[in-house]
């Protein structure tokens, strides 16, 4: 009989509260960094919630489930893992409080605990249903008008116009980096990111296409260099192949340099384990049938291949595998450079950027396998020498300027942190510009609502691509207000009392996020809330929640320590209430990322509350972990069968 | 399906003031536990899938494979502070409670109360064996504190010594109290004598002899007090 353990709501709550306690100190723009050290001496520095949670030792199944949900969410949106946990904890607390107050009495239950558990499950299901059905429209109606849509064209950081609109993408990226990296470098890094995006921006495609391309190929598009200051990070033209030349570089001065990609061995390996080589077959009479003659024959065929390559004018060979010594010798003789053991990602990127397909059969090399490069030379980055190639502009690639990112940092732990931050930023931007219908699966969104979205001509009724809103709690305050209005519209009819309570739960739970952001300064929280609600209730034009160029002749700074200007609120003179000028300098965040976050949290809540019992199964791998402190390791598994 | 369902016997009422305090204290305790556990997780402890048997908190395991329960081993327990066996404070309060309960026959004057309880507790002190304790307790009064409680014994023994220095000037109100105490001791003495006569084991006899000795001592002190 396997040992059972019944799960109660308190267990779930305790597990999630512990995870919340772990991440809350790194949350928000003022959050701290966590330094993990291993016994090997490796250090990892991070502020990313996913990274922190996946580095913990967790054996509790609920905790692992939550961390997996966070990880999956983070791979899709790139951001919001700490917000996920905090929101999850507060929703569970609200459900717990509500379930204790009003347990469902329509069925008879054994105890109050089972009644509470059933109510909690019911509430979670209702919340999820609300989230899938009504939340999108609610956000589109009540929150999106206070944001703005950032268009793809607006984002060069170099544009020196005084209009603040053009810097929206830069602001969006900067506020993301301020939650991930230190304040000193976030501006520099966000400028670098904008430059990268600018170079990769394709002129006629939708922005989500190039963002997806960047996101998928990011591992091949960056190089990590440790030992240099962060300000030496830069963009370089073309692609960096993270291998060195295997043969000496020939001084080929003819342009363009032609390269061919090989996936297979040029000279077949003679004897692998399990293979049987039969010599002298095929009806031809040979003088001697020995292995020496066979290998001589293979070398002769290799010479044909090399000669073929020479006639095509190829001077660089890129190989996915390690070629044999004979190949390298013949290539050196023929003045061909060989680069071996190139990773698959880089070869795929090379093929995409150059338009040349890799060679499958080495005896058949056609002109479409030949890639044209502007240059192919070694580059020294940090302590390593790599191959640096630049592509000649072809017809497809004429839109973009391929470039590669070099990320420098003093230690390896920091290079990893910055690389992840870059990757997550690109992921976040991709989610921002991805149209919402495309991201939700068909099972979640019914056909009717999709049609509704398409039929609706007003852009304000949907969460359009590129929609952003001021950060640091604005989204939560606005949505809280919207949900409470939604609640009040339901108080009359009693049969929709369920919707009433779930909206109330969600509304109250949402406030925990700005409370956490402003946890060091409660006054700041109240003031931000008041300002935003004033702006709504006085029917100011929605766009005044954003900044307008300086009418703030008498800025009144709020209390609290100065935080590098990130959270400072400026408002107009006290006498000038009717003026519509209202400047918020809180940074920007993406609305669709927030929406996805809410949906993911609601789904996690539902799946957490579905779990009822834990069955412990012992496998040979895990017997150690369930042992008590005193038993010796030689005890057998049977001791645990109670 | 309405949430506030059918009219069952359970109607939710807002919690009272005391209940609110309890709820608040419990919530703060849970928050403290979560914070401590979070800190330990960041230090490299492993969160296990089992709960503590005593308090139900999730167990942590450190690098040396030792299990650790945050609430049992670090925080003061919720219920332990009320258990007299573990907490001297609770034991003292329990003694005071019993004294207040038995106050009707006895006056509340301190030294005499001390003497009365000491003479009662006298019966307990020379009884190390549970079976003898049982016998003595069965013969004694029902209001005697349980024999296994160590706390009342030290309380009683400390009051034994200062019995003499604590002698206060006699007043007429004290006399009936002393008479009653004397009577109680005499009853005990009589009982011990009968037990001694019928006792078969050596150790039982020794115990009973020492009981008689202490009863005699108490009688002497009482006589001195009344003089």
């Amino acid at each position: 009989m396997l040992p059972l353990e019944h799960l109660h709501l308190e267990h779930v709550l305790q597990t999630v509260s512990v995870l919340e306690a772990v991440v809350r100190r790194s949350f928000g723009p003022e959050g701290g960094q966590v330094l993990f050290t291993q016994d090997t001496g490796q250090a990892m520095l991070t502020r990313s919630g996913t990274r922190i949670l996946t580095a913990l030792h967790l054996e509790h199944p609920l905790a692992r489930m939550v961390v997996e949900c966070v990880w999956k969410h983070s791979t899709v949106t790139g951001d919001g893992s700490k917000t996920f946990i905090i929101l999850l904890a507060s929703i569970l607390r609200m459900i717990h409080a509500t379930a204790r107050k009003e347990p469902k009495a329509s069925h008879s239950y054994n105890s109050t605990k089972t009644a509470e558990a059933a109510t909690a499950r019911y509430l979670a299901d209702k919340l999820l249903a609300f989230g899938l059905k009504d939340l999108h429209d609610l956000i589109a109606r009540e929150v999106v008008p206070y944001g703005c849509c950032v268009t793809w064209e607006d984002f060069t950081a170099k544009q020196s116009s005084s209009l603040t609109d053009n810097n929206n993408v830069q602001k969006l990226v900067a506020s993301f980096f301020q939650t991930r990296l230190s304040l000193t470098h976030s501006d520099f890094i966000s400028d670098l990111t904008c430059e990268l995006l600018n170079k990769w921006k394709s002129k006629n495609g939708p922005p989500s296409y190039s963002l997806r391309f960047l996101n998928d190929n990011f591992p091949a598009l960056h190089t990590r260099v440790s030992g240099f200051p962060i300000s030496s990070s830069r963009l370089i033209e073309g692609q960096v192949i993270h291998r060195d030349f295997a043969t000496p570089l020939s001084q080929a001065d003819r342009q363009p340099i032609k390269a061919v990609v090989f996936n297979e061995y040029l000279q077949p390996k003679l004897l692998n384990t399990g293979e049987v080589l039969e010599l002298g077959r095929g009806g031809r009479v040979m003088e001697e049938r020995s292995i020496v003659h066979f290998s001589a024959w293979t070398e002769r065929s290799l010479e044909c291949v090399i000669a073929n390559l020479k006639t095509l004018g190829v001077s660089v060979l890129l190989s996915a595998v390690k070629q044999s010594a004979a190949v390298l010798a013949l290539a050196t003789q023929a003045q061909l450079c060989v680069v071996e053991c190139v990773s698959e990602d880089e070869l795929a990127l090379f093929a995409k950027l150059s338009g040349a397909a890799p060679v499958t059969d080495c005896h058949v090399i056609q002109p479409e396998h030949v890639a044209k490069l502007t240059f192919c030379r070694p580059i020294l980055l940090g302590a390593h020498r790599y191959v640096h190639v630049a592509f000649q502009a072809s017809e497809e690639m004429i839109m973009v300027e391929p470039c590669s990112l070099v990320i420098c940092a003093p230690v390896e732990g920091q290079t990893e942190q910055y690389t992840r931050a870059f990757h997550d930023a690109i992921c976040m931007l991709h989610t921002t510009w991805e149209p919402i219908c495309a991201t939700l699966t068909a099972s979640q969104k019914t056909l009717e609502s999709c049609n509704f979205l398409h039929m609706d001509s007003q852009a304000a009724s949907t969460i359009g691509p590129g929609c952003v809103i001021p950060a640091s709690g604005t989204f939560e305050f606005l949505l809280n207000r919207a949900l409470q209005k939604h609640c009040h519209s339901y108080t009359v009819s009693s049969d929709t009392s369920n919707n009433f309570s779930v909206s109330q739960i969600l509304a109250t739970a949402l406030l925990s996020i700005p409370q956490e952001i402003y946890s060091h300064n409660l006054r700041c929280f109240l003031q931000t809330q008041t300002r935003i609600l004033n702006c709504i209730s006085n029917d100011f034009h929605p766009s005044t929640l954003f900044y307008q160029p300086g009418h703030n002749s008498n800025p009144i700074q709020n209390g609290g320590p100065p935080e590098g200007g990130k959270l400072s609120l400026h408002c107009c003179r006290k006498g000038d209430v009717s003026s519509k000028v209202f400047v918020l300098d809180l940074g920007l965040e993406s609305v669709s990322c927030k929406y996805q976050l809410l949906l993911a949290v609601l789904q996690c809540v539902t799946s957490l509350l579905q779990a009822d019992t834990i069955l412990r199964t012992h496998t040979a791998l895990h017997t150690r972990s369930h042992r008590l402190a005193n038993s010796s390791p030689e005890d057998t598994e049977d001791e645990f069968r109670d | 399906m309405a949430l506030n369902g059918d009219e069952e016997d359970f109607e939710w009422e807002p919690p009272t003031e005391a209940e609110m305090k309890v709820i608040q204290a419990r919530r703060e305790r849970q928050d403290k536990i979560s914070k401590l556990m979070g800190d330990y997780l960041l230090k490299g402890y492993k969160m296990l899938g089992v709960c503590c048997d005593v308090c139900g908190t999730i167990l942590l395991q450190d690098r040396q494979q030792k299990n650790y329960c945050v609430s049992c081993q670090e925080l003061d327990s919720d219920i332990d502070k009320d258990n007299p066996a573990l907490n001297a404070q609770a034991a003292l309060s329990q003694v005071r409670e019993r004294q207040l309960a038995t106050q009707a026959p006895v006056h509340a004057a301190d030294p005499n109360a001390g003497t009365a309880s000491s003479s009662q507790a006298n019966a307990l002190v020379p009884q190390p064996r549970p079976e003898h304790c049982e016998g003595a307790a069965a013969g004694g009064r029902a209001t005697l504190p349980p024999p296994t409680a160590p706390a009342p014994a030290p309380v009683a023994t400390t009051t034994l010594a200062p019995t003499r220095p604590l002698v206060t000037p006699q007043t007429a109100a004290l006399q009936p109290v002393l008479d009653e105490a004397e009577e109680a001791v005499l009853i005990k003495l009589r009982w011990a004598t009968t037990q001694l006569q019928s006792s078969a084991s050596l150790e039982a006899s020794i115990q009973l002899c020492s009981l008689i000795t202490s009863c005699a001592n108490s009688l002497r002190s009482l006589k001195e007090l009344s003089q």
Side-chain angles (χ1 to χ4, degrees):
Chain A
M1 164 66 176
L2 292 170
L4 280 180
E5 185 182 308
H6 285 281
L7 279 181
H8 299 299
L9 204 49
E10 279 88 17
H11 290 141
V12 181
L13 206 51
Q14 185 172 64
T15 318
V16 179
S17 307
V18 171
L19 294 178
E20 185 196 16
V22 168
V23 297
R24 74 199 286 192
R25 277 197 288 193
S26 324
F27 180 65
E30 284 86 40
Q33 310 217 29
V34 179
L35 177 67
F36 285 103
T37 48
Q38 284 186 329
D39 290 337
T40 52
Q42 268 179 312
M44 179 179 80
L45 195 62
T46 178
R47 269 173 83 179
S48 150
T50 326
R51 216 54 195 103
I52 296 174
L53 290 173
T54 45
L56 297 175
H57 297 296
L58 296 171
E59 262 192 23
H60 197 279
L62 285 179
R64 287 162 79 101
M65 207 163 104
V66 172
V67 170
E68 186 156 338
C69 289
V70 170
W71 181 78
K72 280 191 195 145
H73 172 254
S74 165
T75 45
V76 171
T77 57
D79 192 17
S81 32
K82 297 185 287 267
T83 320
F84 186 107
I85 295 279
I86 292 176
L87 194 54
L88 182 69
S90 60
I91 288 182
L92 280 173
R93 276 189 211 117
M94 290 297 304
I95 289 183
H96 184 46
T98 315
R100 211 191 292 161
K101 265 200 309 198
E102 314 164 4
K104 247 165 57 117
S106 50
H107 303 284
S108 58
Y109 289 106
N110 297 340
S111 65
T112 31
K113 278 218 184 290
T114 29
E116 272 176 28
T119 318
R121 233 170 282 153
Y122 172 74
L123 283 173
D125 290 334
K126 279 265 62 74
L127 266 173
L128 184 60
F130 174 76
L132 290 174
K133 209 158 55 91
D134 299 327
L135 192 61
H136 180 105
D137 300 328
L138 198 64
I139 292 178
R141 248 193 348 255
E142 307 280 345
V143 179
V144 167
Y146 294 96
C148 80
C149 254
V150 177
T151 52
W152 191 236
E153 277 75 35
D154 298 332
F155 67 87
T156 28
K158 303 290 190 256
Q159 269 191 17
S160 54
S161 79
S162 56
L163 294 173
T164 44
D165 274 349
N166 281 349
N167 279 341
N168 276 348
V169 175
Q170 212 259 351
K171 247 187 142 41
L172 176 65
V173 173
S175 20
F176 171 80
F177 280 121
Q178 272 167 2
T179 62
R180 275 306 172 85
L181 309 172
S182 60
L183 212 54
T184 40
H185 296 121
S186 58
D187 283 330
F188 170 72
I189 298 284
S190 51
D191 286 339
L192 198 59
T193 314
C194 287
E195 217 181 298
L196 177 74
L197 292 173
N198 221 10
K199 294 255 168 80
W200 280 99
K201 195 166 59 163
S202 75
K203 308 265 186 309
N204 51 1
S208 54
Y209 176 73
S210 37
L211 285 170
R212 194 183 314 139
F213 183 82
L214 269 180
N215 195 18
D216 294 338
N217 291 295
F218 190 77
L221 277 174
H222 77 278
T223 313
R224 285 189 227 179
V225 178
S226 44
F228 286 88
I230 293 171
S231 46
S232 0
S233 309
R234 59 194 183 278
L235 290 178
I236 53 179
E237 186 196 348
Q239 185 187 356
V240 173
I241 295 177
H242 298 98
R243 288 279 177 259
D244 197 4
F245 288 105
T247 57
L249 186 60
S250 65
Q251 303 303 320
D253 30 317
R254 50 166 185 260
Q255 284 268 347
I257 299 179
K258 300 203 176 134
V260 174
V261 174
F262 284 98
N263 278 338
E264 306 288 329
Y265 292 100
L266 281 175
Q267 182 186 27
K269 281 194 156 172
L270 276 187
L271 292 169
N272 294 322
T273 42
E275 283 182 4
V276 176
L277 186 63
E278 290 198 32
L279 299 173
R281 280 288 171 126
R284 286 197 48 179
V285 178
M286 305 184 77
E287 302 83 36
E288 309 238 354
R289 301 165 195 177
S290 73
I291 196 82
V292 175
H293 281 90
F294 181 74
S295 39
W297 173 80
T298 52
E299 280 184 23
R300 277 197 296 276
S301 64
L302 201 52
E303 281 164 19
C304 293
V305 173
I306 302 277
N308 196 6
L309 286 172
K310 286 292 280 190
T311 47
L312 283 172
V314 172
S315 47
V316 176
L317 301 182
L318 295 173
S319 162
V321 295
K322 185 156 178 57
Q323 302 290 350
S324 65
V327 174
L328 293 179
L330 282 171
T332 319
Q333 251 180 9
Q335 294 187 333
L336 299 176
C337 320
V338 181
V339 184
E340 296 179 310
C341 304
V342 185
S343 75
E344 277 184 25
D345 302 334
E346 290 173 10
L347 284 181
L349 181 65
F350 185 89
K352 272 183 243 183
L353 291 177
S354 61
V359 170
T360 39
D361 181 8
C362 53
H363 298 283
V364 180
I365 303 179
Q366 305 292 330
E368 70 256 15
H369 296 133
V370 177
K372 298 195 182 58
L373 307 172
T374 326
F375 60 76
C376 173
R377 54 183 181 230
I379 183 173
L380 192 64
L381 289 174
H384 303 276
R385 212 171 79 137
Y386 299 127
V387 172
H388 185 198
V389 298
F391 302 95
Q392 210 173 46
S394 64
E395 308 77 44
E396 308 98 41
M397 286 297 138
I398 202 118
M399 334 286 189
V400 299
E401 304 166 32
C403 61
S404 187
L405 192 57
V406 175
I407 302 172
C408 301
V411 272
E412 207 171 296
Q414 259 187 317
T415 50
E416 202 192 311
Q417 182 188 23
Y418 279 72
T419 312
R420 275 179 198 274
F422 264 110
H423 199 173
D424 289 339
I426 292 175
C427 199
M428 187 264 292
L429 289 170
H430 175 239
T431 313
T432 312
W433 263 277
E434 186 93 21
I436 288 282
C437 250
T439 54
L440 295 173
T441 60
S443 59
Q444 287 176 0
K445 254 225 173 281
T446 60
L447 201 55
E448 298 86 274
S449 15
C450 237
N451 284 338
F452 170 70
L453 282 174
H454 289 311
M455 279 183 332
D456 206 279
S457 51
Q458 301 169 22
S461 294
T462 70
I463 304 177
C467 188
V468 297
I469 199 167
S472 289
T474 315
F475 178 86
E476 285 80 22
F477 285 130
L478 290 172
L479 191 56
N480 173 3
R481 176 65 186 260
L483 283 167
Q484 283 178 344
K485 265 175 32 183
H486 185 80
C487 275
H488 290 147
S489 64
Y490 275 112
T491 41
V492 260
S493 48
S494 61
D495 55 328
T496 45
S497 61
N498 313 316
N499 279 339
F500 163 77
S501 60
V502 298
S503 311
Q504 194 60 41
I505 289 177
L506 194 54
T508 322
L510 273 172
L511 279 185
S512 66
I513 296 175
Q515 274 169 357
E516 199 58 51
I517 294 177
Y518 297 110
S519 58
H520 58 282
N521 190 357
L522 189 58
R523 195 165 151 240
C524 212
F525 167 77
L526 292 171
Q527 280 173 338
T528 317
Q529 187 176 30
T530 321
R531 301 260 185 271
I532 292 174
L533 294 181
N534 272 346
C535 189
I536 301 172
S537 57
N538 292 352
D539 279 335
F540 284 167
H541 192 269
S543 66
T544 57
L545 209 57
F546 270 74
Y547 31 86
Q548 284 186 7
H551 285 256
N552 46 341
S553 39
N554 237 353
I556 302 169
Q557 287 259 340
N558 282 336
E563 288 117 23
K566 171 115 174 65
L567 290 179
S568 59
L569 295 176
H570 302 272
C571 57
C572 54
R573 275 178 305 202
K574 274 201 172 145
D576 203 357
V577 191
S578 58
S579 161
K580 291 191 179 169
V581 178
F582 183 52
V583 177
L584 276 183
D585 193 15
L586 302 175
L588 294 177
E589 60 188 7
S590 149
V591 174
S592 65
C593 284
K594 284 287 188 187
Y595 173 58
Q596 302 248 12
L597 174 76
L598 282 175
L599 283 184
V601 170
L602 293 176
Q603 282 180 332
C604 188
V605 167
T606 318
S607 31
L608 271 182
L609 292 176
Q610 296 290 345
D612 218 4
T613 39
I614 297 182
L615 287 175
R616 286 183 208 293
T617 56
H618 295 285
T619 58
L621 221 50
H622 292 297
T623 43
R624 234 175 198 270
S625 55
H626 289 298
R627 290 186 190 273
L628 305 170
N630 319 337
S631 40
S632 60
E634 295 94 43
D635 293 350
T636 59
E637 258 183 87
D638 292 328
E639 292 210 4
F640 286 103
R641 309 230 177 264
D642 310 342
Chain B
M1 250 198 286
L3 261 186
N4 302 340
D6 315 335
E7 45 282 335
E8 295 274 334
D9 40 82
F10 182 70
E11 282 292 332
W12 183 79
E13 291 151 354
T16 62
E17 188 71 33
E19 284 172 14
M20 279 301 289
K21 287 217 171 88
V22 170
I23 292 176
Q24 184 73 7
R26 203 168 291 154
R27 197 181 307 155
E28 278 173 11
R29 192 162 183 276
Q30 288 300 322
D31 285 342
K32 226 184 288 180
I33 289 178
S34 303
K35 185 171 184 310
L36 281 173
M37 279 185 73
D39 288 341
Y40 276 114
L41 279 181
L42 282 173
K43 279 193 204 151
Y45 279 51
K46 192 194 291 196
M47 181 198 254
L48 296 179
V50 289
C51 294
C52 176
D53 299 324
V54 174
C55 56
T57 323
I58 300 175
L59 284 176
L60 297 171
Q61 191 184 65
D62 63 3
R63 300 291 180 85
Q64 284 80 36
Q65 313 283 330
K66 223 163 41 121
N67 289 2
Y68 182 74
C69 175
V70 174
S71 68
C72 291
Q73 285 165 311
E74 251 184 66
L75 298 179
D76 299 329
S77 161
D78 227 0
I79 47 168
D80 273 356
K81 60 183 184 342
D82 299 324
N83 188 351
L86 294 179
N87 195 344
Q89 201 67 354
L92 276 173
S93 56
Q94 194 175 48
V95 171
R96 294 240 179 278
E97 276 171 36
R98 291 196 188 272
Q99 285 176 359
L100 283 171
T102 59
Q103 216 158 57
V106 181
H107 259 282
D110 259 335
N112 295 317
T115 325
S117 66
S118 74
S119 58
Q120 283 177 2
N122 256 340
L124 295 179
V125 166
Q127 291 171 0
R129 299 281 175 83
E131 54 271 30
H132 298 289
C133 289
E134 231 178 309
R141 292 194 190 178
T143 52
L144 277 179
T148 51
V155 171
T157 45
T158 50
T159 57
L160 263 183
T163 308
R164 284 180 201 253
L166 278 182
V167 168
T168 56
Q170 298 301 311
T171 61
L174 288 176
Q175 200 52 43
V177 178
L178 291 175
D179 289 341
E180 217 177 273
E182 215 178 299
E183 198 189 315
V185 175
L186 281 172
I187 291 172
K188 257 295 169 263
L189 196 57
R190 219 168 284 135
W191 170 83
T193 323
T194 40
Q195 285 290 315
L196 191 58
Q197 282 164 1
S198 57
S199 150
S201 102
L202 172 65
E203 275 150 357
S205 318
I206 294 175
Q207 304 297 334
L208 289 167
C209 283
S210 46
L211 172 61
I212 293 173
T213 318
S214 19
C215 286
N217 282 337
S218 319
L219 277 174
R220 198 185 307 139
S221 336
L222 284 171
K223 288 231 165 24
E224 280 171 8
L225 264 180
S226 57
Q227 282 153 11

